[in-house]
């Protein structure tokens, strides 16, 4: 029974959670980075409340608190306070997220900024996502400020600004125009000196200011005119289409339907996936849940039926479980009832679907 329940939990990709989430590729890459430095993998995962299964798919969503806890625990285990900063320096975004691949395929630095803002929610999804740009540019007498917008944890801020910096240096390593620039001219952080300012200085190679009004890098305005090395625009289109699909999944998970599905997934196999149970777990009354689903043009019964249908097809087509196991996983009290439902959904039997 434990194995079956685990399958259901792992399948809940993109499910809505109330707290901020990050793409699993980030904690997974950090975990690999910390382990390569000598940290124990199982210990780190246990202390951060994460699992290898939950990090297996880089597009999965995991709690942001788990990612931050992972960085904090690694700093303690390795006795290396600057481990998050060094992670940003060492691991490129292209190796972590589809957003990094899209930015690498962009034609200009200005387009990179637009793509980062367009797909920022695929990296971090929180109360700031979708309402403002994640990277904002502004020019004053000092130069161009590339500001990292939003209230982020200092460990995430230092890692991502270091990553943005190193990505840029690698991208334009052969550009004489870029090499002639000071990049960056300065680096500013809203958090106080974490105690390893020398590492900031080594990585940014410019004056570093802590306790600033913004998290930003000051650069030459001519930076926005640079063109990136030629790439395959077909690849850019394919990656963008995939990222758009992921955004739609994320948005769907924010809907009431998506919230109901995320509540039902872990309990579907128990047979107690009724409306009263779902409403209670969501902190709503039955009437309120009915009203919110009606506003989206659906009902609880339709959401439950569609979820069972989708999961049944996934399990059967992938031959991930026997017919009886799939009946159990999708919450049917007996295989006969499950067979009737499959017949209604598809016009054929569960065994026929599994055989295909």
């Amino acid at each position: 029974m434990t194995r079956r329940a685990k399958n259901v939990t792992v399948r809940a990709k993109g499910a809505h959670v109330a707290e901020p989430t990050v793409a699993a590729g980030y904690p997974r890459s950090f975990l690999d980075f910390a382990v390569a430095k000598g940290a124990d993998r199982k210990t780190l995962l246990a202390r951060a409340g994460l699992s290898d299964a939950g990090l297996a798919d880089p597009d999965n969503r995991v709690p942001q608190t788990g990612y931050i806890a992972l960085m904090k625990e690694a700093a303690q285990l390795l006795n290396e306070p600057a481990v998050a900063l060094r992670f940003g320096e060492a691991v490129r975004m292209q190796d972590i997220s589809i957003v990094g691949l899209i930015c690498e395929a962009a034609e200009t630095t200005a387009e990179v900024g637009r793509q980062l803002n367009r797909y920022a929610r695929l990296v971090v999804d929180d109360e700031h996502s979708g309402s403002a740009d994640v990277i904002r540019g502004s020019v004053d007498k000092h130069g161009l400020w590339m500001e990292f917008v939003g209230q982020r944890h200092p460990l995430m801020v230092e890692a991502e600004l270091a990553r943005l910096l190193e990505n840029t240096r690698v991208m334009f390593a052969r550009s004489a125009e870029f090499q002639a620039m000071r990049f960056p001219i300065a680096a500013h952080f809203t958090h106080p000196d974490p105690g390893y300012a020398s590492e900031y200085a080594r990585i940014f190679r410019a004056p570093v200011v802590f306790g600033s009004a913004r998290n930003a890098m000051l650069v030459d305005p001519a930076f926005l005119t640079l063109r990136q090395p030629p790439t395959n625009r077909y690849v850019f289109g394919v990656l963008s289409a995939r990222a758009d699909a992921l955004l739609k999944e994320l948005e769907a998970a924010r809907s009431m339907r998506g919230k109901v599905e995320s509540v039902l997934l872990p309990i579907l196999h128990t047979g107690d996936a009724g409306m009263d149970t779902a409403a209670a777990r969501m902190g709503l009354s039955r009437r309120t849940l009915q009203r919110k689903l009606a506003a989206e043009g659906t009902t609880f019964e339709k959401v439950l039926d569609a979820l069972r249908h989708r999961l049944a097809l996934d399990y059967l087509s992938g031959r991930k479980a026997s017919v009886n196991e799939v009946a159990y996983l999708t919450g049917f009290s007996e295989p006969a009832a499950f067979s009737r439902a499959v017949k209604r959904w598809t016009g054929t039997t569960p065994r026929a679907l599994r055989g295909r």
Side-chain angles (χ1 to χ4, degrees):
M1 183 174 294
T2 301
R3 176 179 59 82
R4 293 172 178 174
K6 181 180 177 182
N7 286 340
V8 174
T9 302
V10 174
R11 181 65 177 80
K13 175 181 169 183
H16 171 89
V17 290
E19 61 183 318
T21 63
V22 299
Y26 282 79
R28 185 176 76 174
S29 293
F30 178 82
L31 179 64
D32 291 341
F33 178 76
V35 169
K37 283 183 166 291
D40 182 75
R41 189 180 195 90
K42 290 184 178 179
T43 301
L44 272 180
L45 286 170
R47 290 188 180 182
L50 300 174
S51 68
D52 274 320
L55 303 181
D57 183 347
D59 295 325
N60 196 9
R61 311 301 304 180
V62 299
Q64 180 178 299
T65 52
Y67 180 35
I68 293 170
L70 195 66
M71 292 190 283
K72 288 181 176 180
E73 294 298 335
Q76 290 187 359
L77 286 175
L78 295 169
N79 193 26
E80 189 175 339
V83 65
L85 181 67
R86 292 168 181 160
F87 168 58
E89 175 192 24
V91 183
R92 300 186 68 198
M93 194 176 185
Q94 289 87 330
D95 299 325
I96 301 176
S97 169
I98 189 174
V99 182
L101 294 171
I102 289 173
C103 291
E104 185 177 46
E107 289 185 321
T108 66
T109 52
E111 186 179 5
V112 168
R114 289 193 293 271
Q115 298 305 325
L116 279 173
N117 289 331
R118 179 181 180 183
Y119 296 116
R121 286 177 55 202
L122 296 183
V123 176
V124 177
D125 186 35
D126 59 14
E127 68 273 17
H128 303 286
S129 302
S131 60
D133 291 340
V134 67
I135 294 290
R136 183 169 60 203
S138 60
V139 177
D140 63 15
K141 63 180 181 180
H142 302 290
L144 169 65
W145 289 97
M146 294 173 54
E147 184 175 0
F148 189 51
V149 183
Q151 300 300 318
R152 308 287 193 232
H153 193 279
L155 293 177
M156 293 180 65
V157 170
E158 66 180 23
E160 295 318 307
L161 280 183
R163 196 181 328 280
L164 178 62
L165 172 66
E166 290 302 320
N167 269 18
T168 303
R169 285 173 175 164
V170 171
M171 180 67 70
F172 294 104
R174 298 184 180 181
S175 168
E177 189 177 1
F178 174 77
Q179 296 302 324
M181 294 180 181
R182 289 176 60 196
F183 190 93
I185 298 170
H188 283 225
F189 297 89
T190 59
H191 54 264
D193 182 346
Y196 41 89
S198 59
E199 276 300 283
Y200 278 80
R202 179 185 65 80
I203 292 171
F204 287 91
R205 306 174 199 168
V208 177
V209 177
F210 296 102
S212 174
R214 53 189 162 190
N215 294 305
M217 288 192 294
L218 178 64
V219 303
D220 188 328
F223 174 71
L224 290 183
T225 67
L226 294 179
R227 298 186 68 83
Q228 298 198 145
T231 57
N232 189 323
R233 296 301 289 175
Y234 173 76
V235 172
F236 178 82
V238 171
L239 292 170
S240 296
R242 171 60 179 157
D244 286 336
L246 290 171
L247 277 180
K248 288 181 179 179
E249 288 183 16
L250 196 57
E251 186 59 39
R254 286 186 163 197
S255 68
M256 183 53 60
R257 181 191 187 108
K259 294 176 185 178
V260 170
E261 288 186 346
S262 70
V263 167
L264 292 177
L265 275 164
I267 64 173
L268 198 59
H269 68 286
T270 68
D272 189 28
M275 189 171 187
D276 289 334
T277 301
R281 283 175 173 254
M282 297 172 69
L284 301 174
S285 68
R286 180 187 179 96
R287 185 181 296 275
T288 299
L289 180 55
Q290 284 179 322
R291 176 171 52 80
K292 289 181 176 292
L293 287 172
E296 295 181 3
T298 189
T299 65
F300 178 83
E301 291 73 20
K302 289 180 179 179
V303 173
L304 176 59
D305 190 63
L307 179 62
R308 283 172 159 173
H309 181 185
R310 188 168 73 248
L311 289 176
L313 292 182
D314 181 56
Y315 287 129
L316 291 170
S317 63
R319 298 185 181 183
K320 299 175 181 177
S322 69
V323 172
N324 287 349
E325 286 176 325
V326 176
Y328 165 80
L329 289 170
T330 50
F332 287 89
S333 58
E334 55 184 27
F338 173 64
S339 295
R340 288 193 295 272
V342 172
K343 183 75 172 180
R344 172 169 55 83
W345 293 327
T346 67
T348 189
T349 67
R351 296 191 186 281
L353 285 175
R354 193 170 186 274
R356 294 176 187 173

